Amino acid sequence: MQGTVDNFKSHARPKNSGTKKLFDNPILEALSRTHIMVPISMWLTSSAFLLWYALNYTDYSTGRIIALFFTGLFVFTLFEYILHRYLYHLEPTTPQRAKIQYTFHGVHHEYPKDKTRLAMPPALAIIMWFVFFGLFFLIMGESSYAFFPGFLVGYSGYLSVHFIVHAYPPPKNFFKQLWVNHSVHHYKNPDSNFGVSSPFWDYIFRSYQK
């Protein structure tokens, strides 16, 4: 593990193919991987259900539901930035922190083309779904039925962009700049360009690099 952490800390050249075995237990190893469409389908389906519930079983107007939805979408962009910068790039100052950092994100930097580890695996994702929905419900009550779908759609957008960046060559459309931004993070400076779905917060917090 220490050698792997040292390689990540020194920004070793990423491997352009291959994968990394994280667990000796075959079940845990299988659960650490997923096809990208599995979580995206989960989030979009649950988002649609929650919006349906908000429209039919709350007293909120359509305008308020739309406003809450887009608020959730915007909040996700900040959440994405903070999570990527401060958890995924956690300084591995202890063996425990090093293990967390490498398992959560270091392995992705070492094997960025591994399509099976471009999203949180479903088993963990389901747990996190209930954790976040429960947290939002405690904070905002029934508003969470409209806010959380926006948050989930934001996450689905992040997963889609992240997959496009790593699975395909530079696209000839508006995704190209996002492809370039994230490539800078992986191949030029891992301490910059933490926004994947948008560089907005990198501009705000001055962590953007061309």
Side-chain angles (χ1 to χ4, degrees):
M1 173 62 73
Q2 187 57 50
T4 302
V5 172
D6 289 341
N7 286 339
F8 181 75
K9 281 291 291 178
S10 60
H11 310 321
R13 183 180 296 276
K15 298 175 176 63
N16 289 318
S17 62
T19 187
K20 175 76 172 184
K21 184 178 179 181
L22 289 178
F23 302 100
D24 292 329
N25 185 300
I27 296 177
L28 288 178
E29 179 64 17
L31 289 174
S32 73
R33 302 175 184 272
T34 183
H35 188 284
I36 193 66
M37 287 309 300
V38 173
I40 289 177
S41 298
M42 289 168 54
W43 305 145
L44 293 181
T45 299
S46 60
S47 177
F49 172 78
L50 289 172
L51 279 177
W52 170 83
Y53 188 93
L55 287 166
N56 289 278
Y57 293 97
T58 70
D59 295 327
Y60 296 154
S61 66
T62 301
R64 184 174 180 181
I65 289 173
I66 292 173
L68 285 166
F69 176 89
F70 281 102
T71 300
L73 184 63
F74 179 73
V75 168
F76 174 80
T77 64
L78 177 59
F79 174 80
E80 172 199 329
Y81 179 89
I82 293 173
L83 185 74
H84 191 182
R85 182 170 185 174
Y86 296 107
L87 178 60
Y88 287 175
H89 284 267
L90 181 73
E91 288 293 326
T93 54
T94 67
Q96 292 78 16
R97 286 164 65 100
K99 184 175 183 179
I100 291 171
Q101 194 284 324
Y102 185 78
T103 302
F104 278 18
H105 199 61
V107 66
H108 170 57
H109 270 260
E110 189 174 3
Y111 296 92
K113 300 297 184 182
D114 184 356
K115 297 179 184 179
T116 67
R117 287 207 172 103
L118 293 178
M120 186 183 298
L124 178 59
I126 291 171
I127 295 173
M128 297 310 298
W129 190 100
F130 283 101
V131 169
F132 275 94
F133 180 75
L135 177 63
F136 290 140
F137 192 84
L138 285 175
I139 294 172
M140 60 183 67
E142 287 192 336
S143 295
S144 57
Y145 291 116
F147 175 90
F148 197 41
F151 193 88
L152 293 176
V153 168
Y155 185 41
S156 299
Y158 156 79
L159 292 177
S160 300
V161 171
H162 198 218
F163 185 80
I164 289 170
V165 167
H166 288 291
Y168 299 103
K172 297 180 180 179
N173 53 37
F174 67 93
F175 283 111
K176 182 177 181 179
Q177 189 56 52
L178 295 177
W179 192 99
V180 171
N181 289 345
H182 198 55
S183 294
V184 168
H185 174 74
H186 272 276
Y187 300 103
K188 189 175 182 180
N189 182 8
D191 295 320
S192 71
N193 297 29
F194 297 101
V196 177
S197 60
S198 169
F200 176 76
W201 296 107
D202 284 300
Y203 288 121
I204 296 297
F205 295 115
R206 299 182 180 181
S207 54
Y208 180 78
Q209 179 176 335
K210 292 184 178 180

